[in-house]
Amino acid sequence: MLKQVACIFSLSSVLAIPAFAAANMEPGLWEVTTESALAKNIPTLPPAQIEAMRKMGVDLSQLQSGTIANKVCITPEMAAKNELPKMTQKESGCEIKNQRQQGNIYTMDMVCDGQMKGKGVSTTTFASKKSFSSRTQFSGNVNGLPINDEANTNGKWVSPDCGSVKPITLPH
């Protein structure tokens, strides 16, 4: 059960990564929320299982009523790059393909062939340098469990100062 919840939580995180097309983003602290049916279906876990999840590197404190909320730091160097994040099979079990940019809209396909198997597509729209929304759809399976999910991610710029939040590490 813990491995399944960890994989589902990881999938929700992977679905949100395409939103971080650093081009067009104001550097500083961002508040990013991701909603998905997967996140809403994570059962309420007893304290012992939550602690076991933490030991596996999964921070369930970010999960609030089916929404994963994060504070994200974008450095000036990251914001200056005019490129989408690259994700390799080795790092995540997923690979980003067919990255396209048309104005303020970024689209990409995702193919997973690790613990997660399946395909997805993501579209991110920047309303401004301080606001974006992203919709990602994924169909496949995680550890043999069928998954057909859609994640909606919204980001808003909070401050030029990241405070104690470390810069996000995107896959290369």
Side-chain angles (χ1 to χ4, degrees):
M1 174 65 168
L2 287 179
K3 285 186 179 182
Q4 293 168 338
V5 172
C7 285
I8 289 170
F9 199 82
S10 295
L11 177 59
S12 291
S13 298
V14 167
L15 292 177
I17 285 174
F20 297 108
N24 294 325
M25 294 182 83
E26 188 74 23
L29 185 63
W30 283 73
E31 181 177 272
V32 180
T33 58
T34 302
E35 294 180 12
S36 78
L38 287 177
K40 288 178 182 169
N41 289 327
I42 292 176
T44 303
L45 299 173
Q49 287 185 334
I50 291 173
E51 184 57 32
M53 295 294 289
R54 279 193 195 112
K55 288 180 181 176
M56 292 171 67
V58 177
D59 182 6
L60 291 176
S61 67
Q62 299 170 349
L63 182 64
Q64 304 164 358
S65 303
T67 300
I68 299 169
N70 290 298
K71 299 282 188 202
V72 176
C73 182
I74 300 294
T75 66
E77 295 78 21
M78 293 165 71
K81 288 183 180 180
N82 189 20
E83 62 185 37
L84 296 170
K86 306 280 190 245
M87 185 186 305
T88 66
Q89 188 80 15
K90 180 181 176 191
E91 294 164 322
S92 66
C94 298
E95 185 177 4
I96 297 294
K97 296 184 175 194
N98 303 320
Q99 297 180 2
R100 303 167 296 284
Q101 176 187 357
Q102 186 171 6
N104 65 331
I105 299 172
Y106 295 82
T107 58
M108 60 186 72
D109 299 325
M110 180 174 21
V111 178
C112 300
D113 194 23
Q115 283 186 312
M116 295 183 286
K117 295 187 185 312
K119 295 181 181 181
V121 63
S122 180
T123 302
T124 300
T125 303
F126 284 88
S128 72
K129 285 186 161 249
K130 295 183 177 183
S131 173
F132 71 84
S133 61
S134 181
R135 179 177 167 197
T136 305
Q137 296 173 299
F138 182 86
S139 286
N141 69 69
V142 176
N143 283 342
L145 297 172
I147 300 293
N148 187 12
D149 194 41
E150 180 178 304
N152 293 301
T153 301
N154 292 294
K156 68 178 180 177
W157 183 83
V158 176
S159 165
D161 182 6
C162 291
S164 63
V165 177
K166 297 205 183 306
I168 186 171
T169 303
L170 294 174
H172 297 15

